[in-house]
Amino acid sequence: MYSNKEEMLVDTVLGEAIVKLISSDSRISISTVLDTLNIMSGTEPDPERQHAIHRAIEDVKNSTSVARQNVKKSHSTFSDSYSGQEPEDKKH
């Protein structure tokens, strides 16, 4: 459930970008979604949708950043457990 109209519109424009990629038989990746959103931003006349597109771009960038941090943490934890050492934050 959406807490407000803006969140729903952000998800809608993100979905539209993905549908455009699927329709054009393009590869779907973070970079192609961002490229498509940027193109949409350049052609969108409605200020409300324009704002939603910019929010979608920021959301994708932020989620990518969080995902990278999580991967680094999991690699660190795996390395520590593989070497038989506890991670620094797990030592007693």
Side-chain angles (χ1 to χ4, degrees):
M1 190 92 199
Y2 294 101
S3 62
N4 63 42
K5 182 182 173 186
E6 182 183 7
E7 286 180 13
M8 186 171 73
L9 190 54
V10 169
D11 282 354
T12 299
V13 296
L14 182 56
E16 289 172 4
I18 293 169
V19 168
K20 285 179 191 250
L21 290 168
I22 292 169
S23 296
S24 66
D25 207 22
S26 297
R27 191 167 77 75
I28 298 175
S29 67
I30 297 298
S31 102
T32 59
V33 170
L34 288 172
D35 289 346
T36 303
L37 286 167
N38 280 311
I39 291 168
M40 290 169 63
S41 173
T43 60
E44 180 56 58
D46 182 308
E48 191 174 23
R49 284 180 54 85
Q50 181 73 245
H51 179 72
I53 292 168
H54 288 285
R55 278 274 318 273
I57 290 168
E58 289 306 310
D59 286 356
V60 170
K61 287 179 180 178
N62 289 338
S63 67
T64 303
S65 175
V66 168
R68 284 188 184 133
Q69 290 172 0
N70 288 340
V71 167
K72 285 180 184 177
K73 283 182 185 178
S74 68
H75 284 298
S76 173
T77 302
F78 175 76
S79 295
D80 291 340
S81 65
Y82 185 72
S83 67
Q85 299 175 355
E86 284 189 62
E88 287 299 318
D89 61 341
K90 299 285 184 182
K91 290 184 179 177
H92 302 284

